[in-house]
Amino acid sequence: MSTRAEATRARLQAAALDLFERRGYRAVTVEEIAATAGVSHMTFFRHFATKERVLLDDPFDPVIAEAVAAQPSDLPAIERVARGMLSLTPLLDQEPTESTRRGIAIAAGVPELQAGMAANTATTARAIVDAAAAPGDEAEMRMAAAACLAAITAALLGWAADGPRSTLGDLVAGAMTAVVPHLADAHVPAFAGSPA
Amino acid sequence: MSTRAEATRARLQAAALDLFERRGYRAVTVEEIAATAGVSHMTFFRHFATKERVLLDDPFDPVIAEAVAAQPSDLPAIERVARGMLSLTPLLDQEPTESTRRGIAIAAGVPELQAGMAANTATTARAIVDAAAAPGDEAEMRMAAAACLAAITAALLGWAADGPRSTLGDLVAGAMTAVVPHLADAHVPAFAGSPA
DNA sequence: GCCTCAAGTGTTAGTCACTAACATCTTTCG
DNA sequence: CGAAAGATGTTAGTGACTAACACTTGAGGC
């Protein structure tokens, strides 16, 4: 909880983002990032398990899982997931979009980082299954979650490359429409969330 | 083209699969794999760009892309992709399933390898877009392809873990039904392919 | 059979991500 | 203030991967 650790972590992330943009992900060593942030490489690895993780940090899983669980349980799994994502689009439009976008833009050019993004979605998919799958439907929910998240990831990569032509929310909505076309005509109420 | 290179490559794959099963992916070094196959580590890297790739080698992309392109072009992208996959299930049931399954079973327990599988699907998705997307619909096709392939990957990982309770074809069919539920009632003709 | 060229492979010496063990410093709190 | 707990530093590794260059083995022309 200490503030000091959080500050170090933030300095490392900022330094990494900066160096990656300037010289490319591969050309930057962990040593350099650590030095720029004024710490040793060991401190870097205490905050981030791998070089990738300094860029791909995503704390959204619990909200997503809740939003999916809140959908009507008589719908097919794929539709529950897609509607859950759609219900989050209003929230997404309030995000600190810029640094997120810089990170994704870097990842868009580096295969290993795209693989890392995909690995993130595996974690998210697990969270969705745990929170929203009916007993016996885990397999279907797992596939549905993987499908929707992959579509969103694909959309994100295009978004970062093309520049911010649309908001994050619109992007996610577009991805869900690509997976479940008839959702284009549906009205999905915004997710309110539960009091923390 | 030379037979010698192919033999070395095959020996490396066999040695790797064997060692991975016995002692775990992480505990096996490239040096060991190379030594077991009777070559140096440099030869290993000439045949496989990374340690992962000795396990995750998949030459199916062109067939998949063709099968999707063969679907009626007035359908939504997601449905063209799903039907394309379904049309391949008869072919899949004739595959040398066993070594494939061993590889996936190993990958199922190693996060980095799952990320590698996801990276493979990115390549496949590109092939699908190139072969089957109508001009202007690239984005939608990219998301649809990512979604379907992710569902299949999720299914494969479960398959390898649970043991071969069903055939590869049934597995893919189940994944496509999870993504596009109404396809359960559709008849999709088998893909014939084009003469090589 | 011999020569040649090219493909396949080996050797060596490096870089860098990542880990383990232990020492040191800083903050917190009694 | 003093001590425990948390954050960071130092050092010495391992192992994936690369670059440069030398060597071997095989197929085709003479």
Side-chain angles (χ1 to χ4, degrees):
Chain A
M1 259 262 191
S2 111
T3 306
R4 189 173 153 217
E6 282 166 17
T8 305
R9 190 187 162 88
R11 251 182 301 134
L12 283 167
Q13 279 177 320
L17 202 53
D18 227 61
L19 290 170
F20 290 161
E21 278 177 343
R22 254 200 268 279
R23 317 213 320 268
Y25 177 79
R26 295 214 171 113
V28 175
T29 73
V30 170
E31 274 291 343
E32 287 177 293
I33 301 171
T36 305
V39 296
S40 76
H41 80 276
M42 272 310 303
T43 294
F44 177 97
F45 284 115
R46 284 192 185 103
H47 286 278
F48 304 99
T50 68
K51 184 182 175 186
E52 286 183 9
R53 297 288 290 163
V54 74
L55 205 62
L56 308 175
D57 225 28
D58 118 51
F60 282 113
D61 294 2
V63 198
I64 295 177
E66 259 191 275
V68 173
Q71 300 304 312
S73 57
D74 55 342
L75 294 174
I78 186 81
E79 196 146 336
R80 293 185 71 202
V81 179
R83 291 180 104 105
M85 299 291 180
L86 275 179
S87 74
L88 288 174
T89 53
L91 272 180
L92 280 176
D93 285 334
Q94 307 165 7
E95 271 305 298
T97 308
E98 194 43 27
S99 66
T100 309
R101 207 189 135 272
R102 290 168 67 198
I104 297 176
I106 295 170
V110 183
E112 344 152 19
L113 291 176
Q114 298 178 40
M117 287 180 68
N120 274 353
T121 71
T123 311
T124 308
R126 244 188 308 278
I128 292 176
V129 170
D130 291 347
D137 278 356
E138 287 86 1
E140 191 189 351
M141 184 63 87
R142 185 162 43 241
M143 294 185 282
C148 288
L149 292 168
I152 291 173
T153 302
L156 281 174
L157 290 171
W159 175 62
D162 297 353
R165 299 219 185 121
S166 50
T167 76
L168 252 183
D170 288 348
L171 202 79
V172 169
M176 293 306 90
T177 305
V179 177
V180 187
H182 73 259
L183 273 188
D185 310 320
H187 172 69
V188 177
F191 179 65
S194 64
Chain B
M1 260 262 195
S2 111
T3 307
R4 189 171 153 220
E6 282 166 17
T8 305
R9 191 188 162 87
R11 252 183 300 134
L12 282 167
Q13 279 178 319
L17 202 53
D18 227 60
L19 290 169
F20 290 161
E21 278 178 342
R22 253 199 268 280
R23 317 213 320 268
Y25 177 79
R26 295 212 172 116
V28 175
T29 74
V30 170
E31 274 291 342
E32 287 177 292
I33 301 171
T36 304
V39 297
S40 77
H41 80 276
M42 273 311 303
T43 294
F44 177 96
F45 285 115
R46 284 193 186 100
H47 286 278
F48 304 99
T50 69
K51 184 182 174 186
E52 289 185 5
R53 296 289 290 164
V54 74
L55 205 61
L56 308 176
D57 226 26
D58 120 52
F60 283 112
D61 294 3
V63 198
I64 295 177
E66 259 192 276
V68 173
Q71 301 304 310
S73 58
D74 55 342
L75 294 174
I78 186 81
E79 195 146 336
R80 294 185 70 202
V81 179
R83 291 180 107 105
M85 299 292 178
L86 275 179
S87 74
L88 288 174
T89 52
L91 272 180
L92 280 176
D93 285 335
Q94 307 164 8
E95 272 305 299
T97 308
E98 195 42 27
S99 67
T100 310
R101 209 191 133 270
R102 289 168 68 199
I104 298 175
I106 295 170
V110 184
E112 342 151 20
L113 291 176
Q114 298 180 38
M117 288 180 67
N120 274 354
T121 71
T123 311
T124 308
R126 244 188 308 278
I128 293 177
V129 170
D130 289 347
D137 277 356
E138 287 87 2
E140 191 188 351
M141 185 63 88
R142 185 162 43 242
M143 294 185 282
C148 288
L149 293 168
I152 291 173
T153 303
L156 282 174
L157 290 171
W159 175 64
D162 296 355
R165 299 216 185 122
S166 49
T167 76
L168 253 184
D170 288 347
L171 202 79
V172 169
M176 292 305 91
T177 305
V179 177
V180 187
H182 74 259
L183 273 187
D185 309 320
H187 172 69
V188 177
F191 179 66
S194 64

